[in-house]
Amino acid sequence: MDDTYDLIVIGAGSGGVAASRRAAAHGARVLIAEADRVGGTCVIRGCVPKKLMMYAAGCSQLLSEAAGFGWTGLAGRFEMARWADAKAREIGRLEGIYRKLLADSGVELVAGRARLASPGLVEVCGRTLRSDHVLIATGSSPAQDALPGLALAMTSNEVLDLREVPESLLVVGGGYIAVEFASILAGLGSQVTLAFRDTHPLRGFDRDLRTRLADALAGRGITLASGVALHGLAQSEKGFELQRADGSVLRASAALNATGRRPNTAGLGLAEAGVQTDVRGAIAVDLDSHTTAGGIWAIGDVTNRVNLTPVAIAEGRAFADSVFGRSASRVDHRTVASAVFTDPPIATVGLTEADAAREGPVDVYESDFRPMKSAFAGGTARTYMKLVVDGLSDRVLGIHMIGTDAPEIVQSLAVAMSCGATKRDFDRTLAVHPTAAEEFVLMREPARRHGAPPHGPTGAAPT
């Protein structure tokens, strides 16, 4: 058997699969090694099953709104075991698709844990493989070291395999994984407490989105235990207890550790191969995803740059095009759209208002309203939109939204931002009516300004 390859990829998640298939399309002989299921975090234990659970939780809101539109006699009972069985079948189907994509691309798949023996040598399943090009795409996994006792709680892996809804749930953390599962489990009927030390959830997001999400979560019946440091988690006869710095104790029948993730670098033999990592274990790379060791690259969450599936895929393809294709390619990490699948959902792309204001004069446009569907059904849900605009060039620097369909709307607007759209471009775009998205092209006067342009704001076109 010839154990020499043009490319060896460690990790068959979204980024690794994308890189291996693209390299094979360029004519490279490729092997990919995976110690777990093919598809990685996103497909097997992340984005996909999480959104399927989100859809299930959203059905309760649809049933409650239906009465406002004239429907009667609607009732239902959620059976999580039925959902779990359907989810397992769907994930199995998707994994089969990923395996077929690799096979059809001519990529050899090896099931086993790989490690770097030295630069150019990879050991897996008793074989020593050789390649001048090794790509590490091992992703990340839930961290358990933020607080004592966190290892007792579920992580995002286990919560997606639940077969019954916990009566009460304590979610530890304030990031996007924490707020998503808090929202989802509350929608499925669990009494949820969200505990985090900051004053608002989603640190790093635009402040107006953070405050509105906190209000929305509270409006959904979620208890926000914020603003107090957390000391440790313990298990009791009735479930779990979370000790806080002020002496208070939060209790629930189940607990979810959502305090963040760590790059999967342990046991890879990085030090022996000369690959440097940072204090969190992330692999250090340059703009072309090259590590500190010759012939070794890394992409995706294992590098802890922008930890999103589409980014890992783009990095993988850029690597393959640059190394095996005819033209070099790089990923621009400065303008990456992202979404938080809470109820209501959040989507954002570009700079926050605070970050933009630190760079120069900024005009801020915003719209806050109750959507037609919610208003007609007697609901209280609101939608908030914001445009952050350069006060000198009129270029749109940031787009932020919380409300129904926010991820779908902002995904489309991200195209405009990547093309350098200005506020004037938004103003001369005719609205599609009646939609929520039209509000983004109907904002005419800035709600506020930061800094003062030397010759006055270029601003929006007059109407």
Side-chain angles (χ1 to χ4, degrees), residues 242-260:
L242 180 65
Q243 303 284 341
R244 303 206 296 167
D246 61 359
S248 63
V249 180
L250 303 176
R251 297 178 175 86
S253 61
L256 171 62
N257 164 26
T259 55

Side-chain angles (χ1 to χ4, degrees), residues 170-182:
L170 177 61
V171 180
V172 184
Y176 75 93
I177 295 175
V179 296
E180 285 180 336
F181 281 112

Side-chain angles (χ1 to χ4, degrees), residues 58-81:
C59 290
S60 62
Q61 185 72 13
L62 292 175
L63 289 172
S64 65
E65 288 180 339
F69 287 89
W71 288 85
T72 59
L74 294 178
R77 182 173 64 88
F78 178 65
E79 297 179 14
M80 191 146 201

Side-chain angles (χ1 to χ4, degrees), residues 142-148 150-151 257 259 262:
Q144 297 183 326
D145 56 355
L147 293 173
L150 279 182
N257 164 26
T259 55
R262 292 288 186 273

Side-chain angles (χ1 to χ4, degrees), residues 164-175:
E164 61 181 40
V165 179
E167 179 181 348
S168 57
L169 177 66
L170 177 61
V171 180
V172 184

Side-chain angles (χ1 to χ4, degrees), residues 51-61 78 83 184 187-188:
K51 196 165 185 184
L52 293 176
M53 188 182 278
M54 182 207 75
Y55 285 141
C59 290
S60 62
Q61 185 72 13
F78 178 65
W83 175 87
I184 289 169
L188 294 176

Side-chain angles (χ1 to χ4, degrees), residues 347-365:
T348 180
V349 59
L351 297 178
T352 66
E353 178 178 341
D355 288 341
R358 282 192 284 269
E359 295 189 4
V362 171
D363 291 337
V364 179
Y365 298 79

